[in-house]
Amino acid sequence: MRIERRDEVSVAALILAPLAAVLAALILCAGLIAMAGVSPLTAYAEMLRGAFGSRLAVTETLTRASPLILTGLAAAVAFRARLWNIGGEGQFYMGALAAAALGHSVVVGMPLPAAWAVIAGGAMAAGAVLLLIPALLRLRFGVDEVVTTLLLNFVALLFVGLMVEGVLKDPMAFGWPQSVPVAARLRLPDLVPRSRLHVGLVLAVIVAGIIWLVQARTVFGAETRAAGLNPQAAAFAGVPITATLAKVAVLSGGLAGLAGAIEVLGPVGYVTTTLSPGFGYAGIVVAMLAALHPAGVVAASVFVATIFVGADAMSRATGVPSFIADVIMAVALLSMLVALLFATYRVRT
């Protein structure tokens, strides 16, 4: 018996793989829910009701999905070129911190479009720098970027803690460790009145469309795909691998930084060390469930947001700990890897 790579992966297999992974994850986690003494069907029904059962629930789910789309795109862009960016969480925080610093005073007097552009550019630059460092270490010295990007998450979070307790601390927060807020006029407008859903969702979807165009219709997109499929063959064909991976690092880190800016300009308004419930790490799950496709990232982000928002409501209704959401995400990621394995390879006897 041997395993050999398929000549071509069908579109149907790429579409069915994430669906099978999600179904497998829900079935496997149903056993854990049953062990807690609750019917899995009841628990999942409560989860859906918590995510979509009311106007407030729907807007909260989509609000949670907005930064996930961008962190998912950040991971997908990098993984497509085989640049293993595990540092989306740190890049998210660096982007958020840059947005708070710029939005509190630097751009307050600018016209609104120019101010938003400067904040977005600053946040993307902050995220890009945090990924560019490990990318260059890999390209120059062969340092494993999985380790460096993962560890930089903790460095970034400690740096954010230093800033919100120091030069960026809000003196009006009664000692609470949070940054100075962005100016009220710079906050993103609401999409739905009396909700936290903001135009950042629309921006994230537009960015996903732009990323798809770049990947499907530009030379840079073809180079990133070639670099990911076979770097040696790509280099032999004239693809500048070092420059391509550096550009991918800038784009990927910039997207994660933009996610942080949107979260600050949208529902939160300032930075704390608990700003993210794990948007950067969840972006990896989103990217894998989407099979690294930008359109799939949007759908996978809504699914992940549904699980996390719905889990809180399910926990209140049934008593099952909301940590089951993390378990579902982990099992879904493993199931997706197995599904992609069988979609890409076949067993010969």
Side-chain angles (χ1 to χ4, degrees):
M1 184 175 69
R2 67 181 188 279
I3 297 177
E4 64 180 32
R5 191 181 184 92
R6 298 180 189 274
D7 296 331
E8 185 177 357
V9 180
S10 67
V11 176
L14 291 177
I15 294 175
L16 290 176
L19 298 177
V22 168
L23 182 62
L26 293 177
I27 292 174
L28 291 172
C29 291
L32 297 176
I33 295 174
M35 290 172 65
V38 177
S39 166
L41 292 178
T42 301
Y44 288 143
E46 291 294 338
M47 191 176 288
L48 279 177
R49 189 175 296 114
F52 297 106
S54 66
R55 173 180 175 276
L56 175 63
V58 172
T59 57
E60 282 299 308
T61 301
L62 295 178
T63 301
R64 180 70 73 94
S66 301
L68 283 174
I69 294 174
L70 293 172
T71 56
L73 288 172
V77 165
F79 290 178
R80 190 171 188 261
R82 292 197 179 183
L83 178 64
W84 308 115
N85 177 17
I86 315 299
E89 187 77 359
Q91 295 144 26
F92 173 94
Y93 270 107
M94 293 306 293
L97 193 65
L102 292 170
H104 177 68
S105 58
V106 177
V107 300
V108 170
M110 291 184 177
L112 203 50
W116 280 339
V118 171
I119 291 174
M124 293 182 72
V129 167
L130 197 64
L131 180 55
L132 195 56
I133 294 170
L136 293 179
L137 287 174
R138 168 189 156 177
L139 294 170
R140 181 66 179 83
F141 301 108
V143 179
D144 189 345
E145 76 273 20
V146 173
V147 176
T148 51
T149 54
L150 178 62
L151 294 181
L152 278 176
N153 286 332
F154 302 100
V155 174
L157 191 56
L158 289 172
F159 179 72
V160 169
L162 178 67
M163 292 294 103
V164 300
E165 289 277 14
V167 295
L168 289 180
K169 185 173 183 177
D170 184 0
M172 304 300 291
F174 302 103
W176 188 256
Q178 72 180 46
S179 75
V180 289
V182 297
R185 64 181 286 268
L186 297 178
R187 299 287 296 275
L188 296 176
D190 294 337
L191 270 182
V192 178
R194 302 188 303 281
S195 77
R196 299 199 314 147
L197 185 60
H198 52 85
V199 298
L201 174 66
V202 178
L203 175 62
V205 174
I206 292 174
V207 171
I210 293 173
I211 294 297
W212 176 80
L213 283 174
V214 169
Q215 290 183 340
R217 296 288 186 268
T218 68
V219 174
F220 172 66
E223 289 175 343
T224 61
R225 181 172 176 78
L229 289 175
N230 193 323
Q232 289 77 23
F236 183 77
V239 174
I241 297 298
T242 299
T244 300
L245 290 183
K247 293 175 185 175
V248 168
V250 169
L251 179 58
S252 175
L255 288 169
L258 182 61
I262 282 182
E263 192 67 2
V264 170
L265 294 177
V268 181
Y270 51 84
V271 178
T272 68
T273 54
T274 57
L275 174 68
S276 168
F279 287 129
Y281 298 114
I284 297 172
V285 180
V286 167
M288 294 308 299
L289 288 177
L292 309 185
H293 194 285
V297 165
V298 176
S301 298
V302 174
F303 166 73
V304 171
T306 299
I307 296 297
F308 279 110
V309 173
D312 291 333
M314 179 201 67
S315 180
R316 290 191 296 271
T318 65
V320 176
S322 60
F323 296 113
I324 192 67
D326 297 309
V327 179
I328 292 174
M329 288 301 99
V331 175
L333 176 60
L334 294 174
S335 302
M336 185 62 190
L337 294 176
V338 173
L340 285 177
L341 176 67
F342 283 105
T344 309
Y345 294 87
R346 59 185 161 201
V347 178
R348 292 285 194 185
T349 58

